[in-house]
Amino acid sequence: MTPILRSHLESIPAYVPGRVIPGAVKLASNEVTFGPLPSVAAAIAEAAGGLNRYPDNAMVELTETLAKKFGVTADEIAVGCGSVILCQNLITVTAGPGDEVLFGWRSFEMYPTATQIAGAVPVQVPLTGDDTFDLSAMADAITDRTRLIFVCNPNNPTGTVVEAADLEAFLERVPPTVVVALDEAYAEYVRPSPAQRYDAIQLHRRHRNLVVLRTFSKAYGLAGLRVGYAVADPTVIEALRKVHVPFSVNTLAQVAATACLRADDELLARTEPIVAERVRVAAQLRAWGLPVSDSQANFVWLGLGADTAEFSAAMTDQKVIVRAFDGDGVRVTVTDPHENDAFLAAVRAWMSARG
């Protein structure tokens, strides 16, 4: 006899991570090629001797360090096992069966999946013609059943960012009872124009319903340790703590993240070469006539539409692994010049083969 499971899970796809093929250049998961800074690695090594003990479930040192960094109270900080679990927990504390979770699309794949797992209804609003969140259309889509809105900025997978005035106008239109999650997983790579520049923490102070989400997985190079955080009103943070899985942020993750914040300037300087490579790679792809969005993340997006599957297969044949979203496009991580050149060479070979 088959065990009885929740029937609606049958229609929900499982998350598919980027593929790993031995010997291939992996540009599918937005990882960085460098490891932790020496001071961070040393802190991890020292902490390893205490792994017979449970992690600090309150994550006191990391929470207090984050609070000091942003000039907020510890009651405005929640730490989670990557920012993705905080996304899921925000859905859990705001939405149930019949409620709506709103976001632009295409965006982070876990938004619709986690929404459906909670029994809520995902509401997808198409991006603008330049692959950016259409905040005006999203505001129009709010109903009396809307409980949570995700604004992914820079957006994953397109890398685009919204303008500050549009974001402020959007927040003014959102009812104060609806939570807005500003997902800034790639914030450290943003080099904004004057029109795009805003201070997320200041927005949080002005809008009690705004939650700022960030992670140590990307620019900080701790993807393997899984630690992210939220800055939000204490009422939201208290709810997140109620659904937090005990001890899910492990000891090494807490120690490494805290050490990263103490070496902040040195670590974030590593983003500059990646930003320069992003500009170079995007310029070359555009010179070849390929559709590339204006990315502010550590990846580029090629809106290839019907050619997506063919392009992805051709890259795999050339031992370059990219992330394909069938029928929409391909996301390609920007890393060091050697790996980026391997990708560009594979693209050139694909174009030559097509004539």
Side-chain angles (χ1 to χ4, degrees), residues 46-354:
E46 183 178 352
L51 295 184
N52 55 306
R53 304 294 183 184
Y54 281 107
D56 174 12
N57 191 53
M59 299 157 284
V60 172
E61 186 177 10
L62 178 54
T63 297
E64 291 180 348
T65 304
L66 285 165
K68 183 177 180 180
K69 173 182 173 63
F70 293 116
V72 299
T73 67
D75 290 338
E76 295 171 87
I77 300 288
V79 178
C81 184
S83 58
V84 64
I85 197 64
L86 292 167
C87 290
Q88 180 170 324
N89 287 350
L90 277 171
I91 295 170
T92 299
V93 303
T94 59
D99 294 330
E100 295 176 347
V101 177
L102 180 66
F103 46 87
W105 194 255
R106 175 174 290 272
S107 191
F108 184 35
E109 292 171 275
M110 280 303 296
Y111 296 158
T113 300
T115 299
Q116 291 173 289
I117 290 171
V121 180
V123 178
Q124 301 176 350
V125 177
L127 304 179
T128 65
D130 60 0
D131 296 324
T132 304
F133 267 47
D134 191 337
L135 296 179
S136 178
M138 289 173 64
D140 290 341
I142 296 171
T143 72
D144 59 3
R145 293 192 299 164
T146 305
R147 297 293 178 266
L148 175 65
I149 302 172
F150 283 105
V151 177
C152 192
N153 200 58
N155 183 40
N156 175 16
T158 64
T160 52
V161 297
V162 300
E163 293 198 352
D166 293 337
L167 180 58
E168 184 67 70
F170 171 74
L171 292 172
E172 292 292 340
R173 289 186 62 187
V174 176
T177 54
V178 175
V179 174
V180 178
L182 183 60
D183 188 347
E184 295 190 319
Y186 302 92
E188 292 83 8
Y189 296 105
V190 176
R191 302 298 183 268
S193 68
Q196 295 167 337
R197 186 172 288 109
Y198 66 86
D199 185 325
I201 304 304
Q202 289 298 329
L203 288 177
H204 150 67
R205 291 191 175 103
R206 295 201 299 271
H207 301 275
R208 291 189 60 190
N209 59 332
L210 180 66
V211 179
V212 181
L213 295 172
R214 291 181 183 166
T215 183
F216 289 93
S217 294
K218 309 304 179 185
Y220 290 91
L222 298 183
L225 285 179
R226 313 302 303 125
V227 56
Y229 59 94
V231 183
D233 186 82
T235 57
V236 176
I237 297 300
E238 179 62 23
L240 288 174
R241 289 174 179 166
K242 290 179 179 179
V243 298
H244 170 75
V245 176
F247 309 115
S248 58
V249 182
N250 69 72
T251 298
L252 298 186
Q254 293 184 44
V255 167
T258 304
C260 282
L261 292 172
R262 291 170 179 158
D264 209 28
D265 292 341
E266 182 183 359
L267 185 65
L268 296 185
R270 291 181 171 186
T271 63
E272 290 297 335
I274 294 176
V275 169
E277 281 294 289
R278 178 181 75 203
V279 172
R280 180 179 75 91
V281 170
Q284 182 59 75
L285 294 171
R286 292 189 184 108
W288 288 336
L290 294 172
V292 181
S293 63
D294 185 15
S295 176
Q296 289 279 358
N298 68 331
F299 53 83
V300 293
W301 169 256
L302 289 82
L304 296 171
D307 293 331
T308 295
E310 176 195 332
F311 180 89
S312 177
M315 295 301 101
T316 301
D317 289 343
Q318 295 289 322
K319 292 285 189 176
V320 175
I321 309 304
V322 299
R323 188 62 178 263
F325 299 85
D326 196 26
D328 288 337
V330 174
R331 188 191 68 201
V332 185
T333 309
V334 174
T335 61
D336 61 55
H338 173 74
E339 292 188 342
N340 298 333
D341 286 342
F343 165 64
L344 292 173
V347 174
R348 187 166 55 247
W350 173 69
M351 297 181 69
S352 297
R354 299 184 95 208

Side-chain angles (χ1 to χ4, degrees), residues 12-70:
I12 301 175
Y15 181 79
V16 179
R19 291 177 296 166
V20 177
I21 298 177
V25 175
K26 184 187 177 188
L27 302 178
S29 299
N30 302 340
E31 300 154 320
V32 295
T33 55
F34 50 78
L37 285 169
S39 61
V40 177
I44 293 171
E46 183 178 352
L51 295 184
N52 55 306
R53 304 294 183 184
Y54 281 107
D56 174 12
N57 191 53
M59 299 157 284
V60 172
E61 186 177 10
L62 178 54
T63 297
E64 291 180 348
T65 304
L66 285 165
K68 183 177 180 180
K69 173 182 173 63
F70 293 116

Side-chain angles (χ1 to χ4, degrees), residues 2-13:
T2 303
I4 298 175
L5 305 176
R6 292 168 62 192
S7 60
H8 85 284
L9 294 178
E10 294 179 4
S11 63
I12 301 175

